[in-house]
Amino acid sequence: MKFRAKIVDAACLNHFTRVSAMVAKLARTCALRISPRQLHFVLAERAAGGGASMWCELEQENFFSEFQMEGVSAENNAICLELAAENLSRALRTAHNARALKVKLTNRHFPCLTVSVELLSVSSSSRIVTHDIPVKVIPRRLWKDLQEPTVPDCDVSIYLPVLKTMKSVVEKMKNISNHLIIEANGNGDLNLKIESDLVCVTTHFKDLGNPPFASENASQDRNPAHMAEVHVDIRKFLQFLSGQQVNPTKAICNIVRNKVVHFDLLHEDVSLQYFIPALS
């Protein structure tokens, strides 16, 4: 297996740094799947235990000026690594105003993702800062757990409001309850609701709109005003909202009643899918 890549464009480097920061907020440990055309950050916790799952996809040509890789074999031309997401994010944060950044799969007595940052010094000469990030090579037999999640047929699909607004609302709600009810309908209405023995609080978002495919897939006898709801762990939802550094160009929420809520976000040329299972 071989992998080396280089970023020289400042905008691409800043964007890649933001993506890694987002992933670090969503996952303590994640898998990095490297293929000839794409990078994927994958989180696949056990849904049965209330775990969330994530699929973040980047087209490598939109970030890297150089990109070379050889997978485990010609038939399976990919590399799958497990790493602490914060270690990668911390290394990339040192690349602010860097001249170039190189990423390479190395072996320092153990497998590493080596990040080399070329920085300009005061004298205009460059200096190299190197980070060796320990990784585990994920064996081929476990790759089946790193496939793009299947999106179930949803009861309601709706565009999300500004994520920062939702975050400020949910931060206040978490002081009252650990459980959050997310409900939406085909008329563009989204409600965030908490209930306790003493109080019931609901925040309403109106006229958000529904994706065109949602109305096409809706059954003819379904009343668009009827709400579909899902109960989730409020901390997991807040973690998802906290991970969004920049408001996405597209943000869709898909609700499968009493089973799962699926978020589909597009940040310029980075797509993120995030699944939070319903509380039993």
Side-chain angles (χ1 to χ4, degrees), residues 125-171:
S125 60
S126 62
R127 59 190 177 94
I128 306 296
V129 178
T130 301
H131 306 264
D132 290 324
I133 302 170
V135 298
K136 294 180 182 178
V137 178
I138 300 174
R140 176 71 184 88
R141 69 178 184 277
L142 299 179
W143 285 13
K144 63 182 184 298
D145 298 328
L146 303 177
Q147 303 302 314
E148 182 172 3
T150 302
V151 181
D153 292 334
C154 61
D155 294 294
V156 169
S157 182
I158 189 169
Y159 290 114
L160 287 172
V162 175
L163 299 185
K164 285 185 177 180
T165 303
M166 294 182 73
K167 179 173 176 283
S168 64
V169 169
V170 177
E171 280 180 332

Side-chain angles (χ1 to χ4, degrees), residues 89-103:
S89 177
R90 190 183 299 118
L92 292 176
R93 286 200 296 269
T94 66
H96 183 63
N97 292 330
R99 176 183 287 179
L101 178 138
K102 296 179 181 178
V103 186

Side-chain angles (χ1 to χ4, degrees), residues 100-219:
L101 178 138
K102 296 179 181 178
V103 186
K104 183 180 180 181
L105 184 60
T106 59
N107 195 337
R108 312 285 198 211
H109 304 294
F110 49 86
C112 283
L113 205 59
T114 297
V115 177
S116 299
V117 182
E118 183 179 350
L119 297 169
L120 283 175
S121 64
V122 178
S123 61
S124 296
S125 60
S126 62
R127 59 190 177 94
I128 306 296
V129 178
T130 301
H131 306 264
D132 290 324
I133 302 170
V135 298
K136 294 180 182 178
V137 178
I138 300 174
R140 176 71 184 88
R141 69 178 184 277
L142 299 179
W143 285 13
K144 63 182 184 298
D145 298 328
L146 303 177
Q147 303 302 314
E148 182 172 3
T150 302
V151 181
D153 292 334
C154 61
D155 294 294
V156 169
S157 182
I158 189 169
Y159 290 114
L160 287 172
V162 175
L163 299 185
K164 285 185 177 180
T165 303
M166 294 182 73
K167 179 173 176 283
S168 64
V169 169
V170 177
E171 280 180 332
K172 295 179 177 68
M173 287 180 161
K174 84 175 193 309
N175 297 322
I176 302 173
S177 175
N178 292 327
H179 298 171
L180 175 72
I181 301 170
I182 304 173
E183 58 181 14
N185 64 19
N187 287 340
D189 301 323
L190 173 71
N191 298 331
L192 302 179
K193 183 191 304 183
I194 54 171
E195 296 174 344
S196 72
D197 295 337
L198 300 176
V199 68
C200 175
V201 180
T202 304
T203 300
H204 304 272
F205 297 92
K206 301 287 187 180
D207 302 319
L208 297 175
N210 304 90
F213 66 83
S215 57
E216 293 172 4
N217 296 339
S219 60

Side-chain angles (χ1 to χ4, degrees), residues 42-45 47 51-55 149 260 272-277:
V42 186
L43 170 68
E45 296 178 349
S53 58
M54 171 189 70
W55 179 266
V260 69
L272 172 69
Q273 295 185 66
Y274 196 76
F275 297 78
I276 303 177

